Amino acid sequence: MVMPMTDSVRAWRVLFEDLCRLIRSGRLVPGDRLPSETALIAQTGLSRTTVRQAIGQLRSVGLVSTLAPKGTFVLGTPDPVRLMAGESVTAEAALTLTRADGSTALLPAGTPIVCAATR
Amino acid sequence: MVMPMTDSVRAWRVLFEDLCRLIRSGRLVPGDRLPSETALIAQTGLSRTTVRQAIGQLRSVGLVSTLAPKGTFVLGTPDPVRLMAGESVTAEAALTLTRADGSTALLPAGTPIVCAATR
DNA sequence: CTCTATTTGTACGTATGTATC
DNA sequence: AGATACATACGTACAAATAGA
């Protein structure tokens, strides 16, 4: 079914979230290949541009990685990363800080997180 | 001058890096608006799709933010937060890790970041 | 080994919607 | 009300790398 471009629900976002669910639900596990662009076009009726935008979002969120002409593959959730002195992390989205006592705080997008000086 | 699509140097990447330089050099400061898509099209001779891809990269790198029909604006960086031992941060979106040498790595959404500082 | 099909990357063009100025 | 500017979405074409017959 074709999504009219006037639709307030963005087509690429729908596909993006569908694929997100496939991954988070475990129907697609790390190492699995996503359906090819052509397949997704056939399944969704969307244009290639739109399909690619959805996949691009998955990439930019870190859920998948695409290898040039091979395909797009589901990434595994990596082990926790230890932040060393001199390193910093940021994210486009809000960050959640969890303290030792379990309480949490929300940090604005773009906030650089640096490692507290050792000792 | 028009960049042939066969060129191995990706046109959007050239524009992306040009704009990066404008920002990092300080010629564009936080709050400044980037030239509009139309202006960039005129200046570069690229298609709108390509111009938008370059701007999309700037966004995903966290250098700019675009407000719907107003324009794309240069972001400033908020004050860093020091991650203490026992604390961790996560984000729904991809995290960018910047090392001491300036190199960066993309961490998948949901990656827990912990403080390496012990003792 | 060569030819071919598949798949992703890049790049172009066009049209419409919608919010802002 | 009109112009401007970004978002979404369609289409097309060719390049390049890979995999398979």
Side-chain angles (χ1 to χ4, degrees):
Chain A
M1 171 253 183
V2 178
M3 185 81 56
M5 77 182 128
T6 73
D7 200 316
S8 63
V9 175
R10 291 155 297 178
W12 67 262
R13 189 135 251 282
V14 172
L15 176 56
F16 166 74
E17 284 166 1
D18 282 352
L19 293 172
C20 274
R21 264 189 295 277
L22 279 182
I23 296 173
R24 299 204 203 273
S25 71
R27 302 250 317 265
L28 285 178
V29 298
D32 280 358
R33 211 195 72 169
L34 291 193
S36 74
E37 293 176 359
T38 328
L40 289 173
I41 290 166
Q43 290 171 26
T44 62
L46 297 172
S47 74
R48 194 177 165 210
T49 316
T50 306
V51 166
R52 282 177 60 79
Q53 187 161 9
I55 294 176
Q57 278 299 309
L58 289 175
R59 245 197 317 268
S60 91
V61 153
L63 280 176
V64 303
S65 173
T66 121
L67 304 180
K70 291 183 155 188
T72 299
F73 298 86
V74 177
L75 293 175
T77 345
D79 300 325
V81 168
R82 293 159 52 92
L83 191 63
M84 315 297 288
E87 294 179 340
S88 67
V89 289
T90 58
E92 292 178 70
L95 293 149
T96 305
L97 171 72
T98 306
R99 304 197 189 83
D101 62 5
S103 65
T104 62
L106 201 63
L107 306 175
T111 306
I113 309 291
V114 298
C115 184
T118 57
R119 171 143 17 159
Chain B
M1 169 253 182
V2 179
M3 183 83 52
M5 80 180 128
T6 74
D7 200 316
S8 63
V9 175
R10 292 155 295 180
W12 67 261
R13 187 133 251 279
V14 172
L15 176 56
F16 166 74
E17 284 167 1
D18 282 352
L19 293 172
C20 273
R21 263 189 295 278
L22 278 182
I23 296 172
R24 299 202 203 274
S25 71
R27 303 250 315 266
L28 286 177
V29 298
D32 280 357
R33 211 195 73 167
L34 291 193
S36 73
E37 293 178 357
T38 331
L40 289 174
I41 289 166
Q43 290 170 26
T44 61
L46 297 173
S47 74
R48 189 161 171 232
T49 315
T50 307
V51 166
R52 282 176 59 78
Q53 188 162 7
I55 294 176
Q57 277 300 307
L58 288 175
R59 248 196 316 268
S60 91
V61 157
L63 279 175
V64 303
S65 172
T66 121
L67 305 180
K70 290 182 153 187
T72 299
F73 299 87
V74 178
L75 292 176
T77 28
D79 292 333
V81 165
R82 294 157 53 91
L83 188 65
M84 314 298 287
E87 295 178 342
S88 68
V89 288
T90 57
E92 299 279 327
L95 293 150
T96 305
L97 170 71
T98 305
R99 305 199 188 83
D101 62 5
S103 63
T104 61
L106 184 70
L107 306 176
T111 305
I113 308 290
V114 299
C115 185
T118 55
R119 164 172 6 180

Short mmCIF file of all heavy atoms in Angstrom, two decimals, chain A residues 86, chain B residues 97-105:
data_model
loop_
_atom_site.label_atom_id
_atom_site.label_comp_id
_atom_site.label_asym_id
_atom_site.label_seq_id
_atom_site.Cartn_x
_atom_site.Cartn_y
_atom_site.Cartn_z
N GLY A 86 40.71 11.44 29.22
CA GLY A 86 41.02 12.02 27.92
C GLY A 86 39.99 11.70 26.86
O GLY A 86 39.97 12.31 25.80
N LEU B 97 32.12 8.43 20.54
CA LEU B 97 33.24 8.43 21.47
C LEU B 97 34.42 9.17 20.83
O LEU B 97 34.82 8.85 19.71
CB LEU B 97 33.65 6.99 21.78
CG LEU B 97 34.96 6.80 22.56
CD1 LEU B 97 34.79 7.25 24.00
CD2 LEU B 97 35.43 5.36 22.51
N THR B 98 34.91 10.16 21.52
CA THR B 98 36.07 10.90 21.02
C THR B 98 37.27 10.57 21.89
O THR B 98 37.23 10.76 23.11
CB THR B 98 35.80 12.41 21.04
OG1 THR B 98 34.60 12.66 20.32
CG2 THR B 98 36.95 13.16 20.39
N ARG B 99 38.32 10.09 21.25
CA ARG B 99 39.51 9.71 22.00
C ARG B 99 40.43 10.90 22.17
O ARG B 99 40.23 11.95 21.58
CB ARG B 99 40.23 8.59 21.27
CG ARG B 99 39.34 7.40 21.01
CD ARG B 99 40.11 6.15 20.72
NE ARG B 99 39.19 5.09 20.28
CZ ARG B 99 38.76 4.97 19.03
NH1 ARG B 99 39.17 5.83 18.10
NH2 ARG B 99 37.93 4.00 18.70
N ALA B 100 41.46 10.66 22.96
CA ALA B 100 42.39 11.75 23.26
C ALA B 100 43.07 12.25 21.99
O ALA B 100 43.39 13.44 21.86
CB ALA B 100 43.43 11.28 24.27
N ASP B 101 43.27 11.36 21.03
CA ASP B 101 43.96 11.77 19.80
C ASP B 101 43.02 12.41 18.79
O ASP B 101 43.43 12.74 17.68
CB ASP B 101 44.68 10.57 19.17
CG ASP B 101 43.70 9.48 18.77
OD1 ASP B 101 42.49 9.69 18.89
OD2 ASP B 101 44.15 8.41 18.32
N GLY B 102 41.75 12.56 19.17
CA GLY B 102 40.81 13.22 18.28
C GLY B 102 40.02 12.26 17.41
O GLY B 102 39.03 12.66 16.79
N SER B 103 40.43 11.02 17.34
CA SER B 103 39.69 10.05 16.53
C SER B 103 38.35 9.77 17.21
O SER B 103 38.21 9.92 18.42
CB SER B 103 40.48 8.76 16.37
OG SER B 103 40.67 8.15 17.64
N THR B 104 37.39 9.34 16.42
CA THR B 104 36.06 9.10 16.97
C THR B 104 35.59 7.70 16.61
O THR B 104 36.07 7.10 15.66
CB THR B 104 35.04 10.11 16.41
OG1 THR B 104 34.95 9.96 15.00
CG2 THR B 104 35.43 11.53 16.76
N ALA B 105 34.65 7.22 17.40
CA ALA B 105 34.05 5.92 17.13
C ALA B 105 32.56 6.03 17.42
O ALA B 105 32.16 6.79 18.31
CB ALA B 105 34.68 4.83 17.99
#
